[in-house]
Protein backbone atom coordinates (compact mmCIF):
# COMPACT_ATOMS: atom_id res chain seq x y z
CA UNK A 1 0.00 0.00 0.00
CA UNK A 2 1.35 3.40 -0.94
CA UNK A 3 2.38 5.64 1.91
CA UNK A 4 0.08 8.57 2.54
CA UNK A 5 1.32 11.99 1.53
CA UNK A 6 1.69 14.89 3.96
CA UNK A 7 -1.83 16.21 3.25
CA UNK A 8 -3.41 12.81 3.85
CA UNK A 9 -1.96 11.97 7.26
CA UNK A 10 -4.61 11.76 9.95
CA UNK A 11 -2.16 12.86 12.65
CA UNK A 12 -1.42 16.22 11.00
CA UNK A 13 -1.89 19.01 13.59
CA UNK A 14 -4.87 21.32 13.28
CA UNK A 15 -3.80 24.75 14.52
CA UNK A 16 -6.47 27.38 15.33
CA UNK A 17 -6.18 30.53 13.20
CA UNK A 18 -5.81 32.73 16.31
CA UNK A 19 -2.72 30.70 17.31
CA UNK A 20 -1.32 31.07 13.81
CA UNK A 21 -1.82 34.83 14.00
CA UNK A 22 -0.08 34.97 17.38
CA UNK A 23 2.84 32.92 16.00
CA UNK A 24 3.23 35.14 12.94
CA UNK A 25 3.08 38.27 15.08
CA UNK A 26 5.74 37.06 17.50
CA UNK A 27 7.99 35.74 14.71
CA UNK A 28 7.88 38.97 12.72
CA UNK A 29 8.49 40.99 15.90
CA UNK A 30 11.59 38.94 16.77
CA UNK A 31 12.98 39.01 13.24
CA UNK A 32 12.43 42.74 12.88
CA UNK A 33 14.34 43.31 16.12
CA UNK A 34 17.28 41.38 14.66
CA UNK A 35 17.04 43.28 11.37
CA UNK A 36 17.03 46.60 13.21
CA UNK A 37 20.22 45.53 15.00
CA UNK A 38 21.82 44.61 11.66
CA UNK A 39 20.79 47.97 10.20
CA UNK A 40 22.34 49.87 13.12
CA UNK A 41 25.54 47.85 12.86
CA UNK A 42 25.70 48.46 9.11
CA UNK A 43 25.23 52.19 9.62
CA UNK A 44 28.10 52.18 12.13
CA UNK A 45 30.38 50.30 9.71
CA UNK A 46 29.45 52.75 6.97
CA UNK A 47 30.56 55.66 9.15
CA UNK A 48 33.89 54.01 9.93
CA UNK A 49 34.72 52.79 6.44
CA UNK A 50 36.34 55.20 3.96
CA UNK A 51 36.77 52.82 1.00
CA UNK A 52 34.12 53.76 -1.55
CA UNK A 53 33.64 50.25 -2.96
CA UNK A 54 33.05 48.77 0.47
CA UNK A 55 30.73 51.67 1.36
CA UNK A 56 28.73 50.83 -1.75
CA UNK A 57 28.40 47.19 -0.66
CA UNK A 58 27.32 48.26 2.83
CA UNK A 59 24.66 50.43 1.20
CA UNK A 60 23.39 47.46 -0.78
CA UNK A 61 23.30 45.38 2.39
CA UNK A 62 21.22 48.01 4.15
CA UNK A 63 18.79 48.12 1.21
CA UNK A 64 18.38 44.34 1.37
CA UNK A 65 17.73 44.49 5.10
CA UNK A 66 15.22 47.28 4.52
CA UNK A 67 13.29 45.24 1.93
CA UNK A 68 13.10 42.26 4.26
CA UNK A 69 11.96 44.46 7.14
CA UNK A 70 9.22 45.90 4.90
CA UNK A 71 8.09 42.38 3.98
CA UNK A 72 7.82 41.44 7.64
CA UNK A 73 5.94 44.65 8.40
CA UNK A 74 3.39 43.88 5.66
CA UNK A 75 3.05 40.32 6.93
CA UNK A 76 2.42 41.51 10.48
CA UNK A 77 -0.17 44.02 9.27
CA UNK A 78 -1.90 41.38 7.12
CA UNK A 79 -2.81 39.32 10.19
CA UNK A 80 -3.35 42.22 12.58
CA UNK A 81 -6.64 43.01 14.26
CA UNK A 82 -9.14 45.17 12.38
CA UNK A 83 -10.64 47.74 14.76
CA UNK A 84 -11.92 50.52 12.49
CA UNK A 85 -12.41 54.09 13.62
CA UNK A 86 -15.51 54.99 11.60
CA UNK A 87 -16.05 58.50 10.23
CA UNK A 88 -18.53 59.91 7.68
CA UNK A 89 -17.13 59.80 4.13
CA UNK A 90 -19.09 60.74 1.03
CA UNK A 91 -19.05 57.70 -1.26
CA UNK A 92 -18.16 59.63 -4.42
CA UNK A 93 -15.26 61.33 -2.62
CA UNK A 94 -13.97 58.00 -1.37
CA UNK A 95 -13.97 56.49 -4.87
CA UNK A 96 -12.27 59.58 -6.29
CA UNK A 97 -9.56 59.41 -3.62
CA UNK A 98 -9.23 55.69 -4.34
CA UNK A 99 -8.73 56.38 -8.04
CA UNK A 100 -5.91 58.79 -7.25
CA UNK A 101 -4.20 56.22 -5.02
CA UNK A 102 -4.51 53.45 -7.61
CA UNK A 103 -3.07 55.76 -10.27
CA UNK A 104 -0.17 56.57 -7.93
CA UNK A 105 0.53 52.98 -6.85
CA UNK A 106 -0.03 51.37 -10.26
CA UNK A 107 0.82 54.06 -12.83
CA UNK A 108 1.01 51.65 -15.78
CA UNK A 109 -1.86 49.30 -14.95
CA UNK A 110 -4.25 52.09 -13.90
CA UNK A 111 -4.49 53.31 -17.50
CA UNK A 112 -6.30 50.04 -18.28
CA UNK A 113 -9.09 50.52 -15.71
CA UNK A 114 -12.55 51.53 -16.87
CA UNK A 115 -14.51 53.28 -14.10
CA UNK A 116 -18.32 53.42 -13.91
CA UNK A 117 -19.36 55.51 -10.89
CA UNK A 118 -23.01 56.22 -10.01
CA UNK A 119 -23.13 57.17 -6.33
CA UNK A 120 -25.09 60.39 -6.02
CA UNK A 121 -24.73 62.00 -2.59
CA UNK A 122 -24.64 58.77 -0.54
CA UNK A 123 -22.58 58.77 2.63
CA UNK A 124 -20.53 55.95 4.15
CA UNK A 125 -19.25 55.36 7.68
CA UNK A 126 -15.77 53.91 7.22
CA UNK A 127 -12.22 53.94 8.44
CA UNK A 128 -10.50 55.47 5.37
CA UNK A 129 -7.13 53.84 6.06
CA UNK A 130 -8.53 50.32 6.42
CA UNK A 131 -10.97 50.73 3.56
CA UNK A 132 -8.30 52.08 1.21
CA UNK A 133 -6.07 49.14 2.14
CA UNK A 134 -8.81 46.65 1.24
CA UNK A 135 -9.57 48.19 -2.15
CA UNK A 136 -5.90 48.55 -3.04
CA UNK A 137 -5.42 44.83 -2.35
CA UNK A 138 -8.31 43.97 -4.68
CA UNK A 139 -6.77 45.98 -7.51
CA UNK A 140 -3.30 44.55 -6.85
CA UNK A 141 -4.72 41.03 -7.14
CA UNK A 142 -6.50 41.93 -10.37
CA UNK A 143 -3.24 43.13 -11.90
CA UNK A 144 -1.13 40.26 -10.53
CA UNK A 145 -3.04 37.00 -11.05
CA UNK A 146 -3.40 35.64 -14.61
CA UNK A 147 -5.18 38.64 -16.02
CA UNK A 148 -6.75 38.15 -19.44
CA UNK A 149 -7.05 40.57 -22.34
CA UNK A 150 -9.15 43.67 -21.95
CA UNK A 151 -9.66 46.41 -19.36
CA UNK A 152 -10.40 45.94 -15.69
CA UNK A 153 -13.87 47.32 -15.02
CA UNK A 154 -14.59 49.00 -11.68
CA UNK A 155 -18.23 49.79 -10.92
CA UNK A 156 -19.65 51.61 -7.91
CA UNK A 157 -23.32 52.37 -7.28
CA UNK A 158 -25.98 52.56 -4.59
CA UNK A 159 -28.47 49.70 -4.62
CA UNK A 160 -31.11 48.93 -1.97
CA UNK A 161 -29.51 51.35 0.51
CA UNK A 162 -26.13 49.69 0.13
CA UNK A 163 -22.87 50.78 -1.44
CA UNK A 164 -22.08 48.18 -4.10
CA UNK A 165 -18.63 47.96 -5.65
CA UNK A 166 -17.75 45.35 -8.25
CA UNK A 167 -14.42 44.64 -9.89
CA UNK A 168 -14.49 42.77 -13.20
CA UNK A 169 -11.21 41.02 -14.01
CA UNK A 170 -10.89 39.61 -17.54
CA UNK A 171 -9.91 35.93 -17.38
CA UNK A 172 -10.12 33.44 -20.22
CA UNK A 173 -10.12 30.56 -17.74
CA UNK A 174 -10.69 30.34 -14.00
CA UNK A 175 -11.03 27.12 -12.03
CA UNK A 176 -10.62 28.13 -8.38
CA UNK A 177 -13.66 27.70 -6.13
CA UNK A 178 -15.16 30.97 -4.90
CA UNK A 179 -17.57 29.71 -2.25
CA UNK A 180 -15.17 30.56 0.60
CA UNK A 181 -13.58 33.56 -1.11
CA UNK A 182 -11.35 35.36 1.35
CA UNK A 183 -11.77 32.68 4.02
CA UNK A 184 -8.83 30.43 3.20
CA UNK A 185 -5.64 32.17 4.34
CA UNK A 186 -2.29 30.61 3.44
CA UNK A 187 -3.91 28.49 0.70
CA UNK A 188 -1.86 29.95 -2.17
CA UNK A 189 1.70 31.00 -1.37
CA UNK A 190 4.22 32.47 -3.82
CA UNK A 191 7.42 34.46 -3.43
CA UNK A 192 6.74 37.45 -1.13
CA UNK A 193 3.01 36.71 -1.18
CA UNK A 194 1.55 34.47 1.51
CA UNK A 195 -2.12 34.01 0.72
CA UNK A 196 -3.28 36.58 3.28
CA UNK A 197 -4.49 39.45 1.12
CA UNK A 198 -8.07 38.39 0.44
CA UNK A 199 -8.50 37.19 4.01
CA UNK A 200 -7.44 40.66 5.13
CA UNK A 201 -9.88 42.30 2.70
CA UNK A 202 -12.74 40.15 4.00
CA UNK A 203 -11.86 40.97 7.63
CA UNK A 204 -11.85 44.70 6.88
CA UNK A 205 -15.11 44.58 4.94
CA UNK A 206 -16.91 42.56 7.62
CA UNK A 207 -15.59 44.90 10.35
CA UNK A 208 -17.48 47.64 8.46
CA UNK A 209 -20.69 45.59 8.38
CA UNK A 210 -20.20 44.62 4.75
CA UNK A 211 -19.85 41.49 2.65
CA UNK A 212 -17.32 40.20 0.12
CA UNK A 213 -18.15 37.73 -2.65
CA UNK A 214 -16.63 36.58 -5.93
CA UNK A 215 -17.88 34.54 -8.87
CA UNK A 216 -16.48 33.60 -12.25
CA UNK A 217 -18.79 34.34 -15.18
CA UNK A 218 -17.72 32.26 -18.20
CA UNK A 219 -20.21 34.01 -20.50
CA UNK A 220 -18.20 37.23 -20.19
CA UNK A 221 -14.86 35.59 -19.25
CA UNK A 222 -14.55 37.62 -16.08
CA UNK A 223 -14.02 37.08 -12.38
CA UNK A 224 -16.35 39.53 -10.64
CA UNK A 225 -15.55 40.46 -7.06
CA UNK A 226 -18.39 42.24 -5.27
CA UNK A 227 -18.12 44.29 -2.10
CA UNK A 228 -21.21 45.67 -0.39
CA UNK A 229 -21.50 48.03 2.55
CA UNK A 230 -24.40 49.76 4.33
CA UNK A 231 -24.75 53.43 3.51
CA UNK A 232 -25.05 56.01 6.28
CA UNK A 233 -28.48 57.31 7.19
CA UNK A 234 -27.37 60.89 6.60
CA UNK A 235 -26.90 62.64 3.27
CA UNK A 236 -23.94 64.82 2.37
CA UNK A 237 -26.05 67.94 3.01
CA UNK A 238 -26.72 66.77 6.58
CA UNK A 239 -23.09 65.79 7.32
Amino acid sequence: MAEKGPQERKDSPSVPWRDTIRFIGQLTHDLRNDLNAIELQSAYIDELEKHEELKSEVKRLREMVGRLASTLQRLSRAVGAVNPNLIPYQAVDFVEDLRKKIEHDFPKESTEISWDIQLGDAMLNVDPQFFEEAFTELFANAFRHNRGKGPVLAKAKIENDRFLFSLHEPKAHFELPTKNWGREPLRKITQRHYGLGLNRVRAIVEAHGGELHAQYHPNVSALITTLTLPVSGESSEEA
Side-chain angles (χ1 to χ4, degrees):
M1 181 180 295
E3 183 180 353
K4 291 185 177 181
Q7 295 181 343
E8 302 175 12
R9 296 184 184 277
K10 294 183 179 180
D11 59 348
S12 297
S14 178
V15 181
W17 180 237
R18 63 178 179 274
D19 292 340
T20 303
I21 291 175
R22 188 164 60 249
F23 161 72
I24 293 174
Q26 186 62 53
L27 176 63
T28 56
H29 175 77
D30 294 342
L31 292 177
R32 287 173 65 187
N33 280 345
D34 291 339
L35 289 173
N36 288 338
I38 294 173
E39 163 63 19
L40 290 174
Q41 191 67 22
S42 299
Y44 179 62
I45 293 173
D46 188 47
E47 291 179 0
L48 294 177
E49 179 56 44
K50 303 302 181 183
H51 195 283
E52 288 302 319
E53 185 174 353
L54 183 54
K55 287 176 70 69
S56 177
E57 292 302 315
V58 171
K59 180 181 178 181
R60 289 182 57 193
L61 174 62
R62 295 178 67 182
E63 290 172 350
M64 293 166 62
V65 169
R67 285 196 298 270
L68 180 54
S70 296
T71 298
L72 291 173
Q73 186 175 26
R74 290 195 300 272
L75 176 59
S76 181
R77 185 173 64 245
V79 298
V82 180
N83 298 309
N85 180 25
L86 304 181
I87 64 171
Y89 203 153
Q90 189 169 9
V92 68
D93 289 341
F94 167 73
V95 174
E96 182 59 29
D97 291 341
L98 174 66
R99 289 184 62 168
K100 292 177 181 178
K101 178 170 177 55
I102 297 301
E103 290 172 359
H104 176 271
D105 292 355
F106 308 98
K108 180 180 178 181
E109 296 89 343
S110 62
T111 61
E112 302 174 17
I113 301 175
S114 178
W115 296 84
D116 182 2
I117 311 302
Q118 301 178 40
L119 295 171
D121 62 354
M123 296 291 296
L124 305 174
N125 281 324
V126 300
D127 184 311
Q129 184 174 352
F130 276 125
F131 223 44
E132 189 177 79
E133 177 188 343
F135 277 83
T136 302
E137 178 66 24
L138 290 179
F139 278 97
N141 280 345
F143 298 142
R144 184 187 307 130
H145 297 304
N146 302 319
R147 182 183 155 205
K149 295 181 179 180
V152 172
L153 176 59
K155 293 184 176 182
K157 63 180 180 179
I158 302 300
E159 185 175 281
N160 298 325
D161 293 327
R162 294 182 72 83
F163 170 81
L164 191 152
F165 179 88
S166 60
L167 192 64
H168 302 234
E169 307 173 36
K171 292 185 183 294
H173 304 283
F174 187 81
E175 299 179 353
L176 293 177
T178 57
K179 181 179 180 180
N180 294 316
W181 200 247
R183 295 184 179 276
E184 299 176 312
L186 308 178
R187 175 59 62 89
K188 185 176 181 181
I189 297 177
T190 59
Q191 187 176 21
R192 298 189 185 280
H193 299 283
Y194 309 107
L196 294 169
L198 281 177
N199 183 74
R200 176 70 170 178
V201 172
R202 178 195 58 77
I204 291 173
V205 171
E206 292 184 351
H208 285 78
E211 298 179 356
L212 176 71
H213 302 284
Q215 185 175 355
Y216 181 67
H217 296 258
N219 57 320
V220 293
S221 299
L223 174 67
I224 301 180
T225 302
T226 303
L227 185 157
T228 62
L229 188 77
V231 297
S232 170
E234 62 183 12
S235 67
S236 60
E237 288 81 2
E238 296 170 333

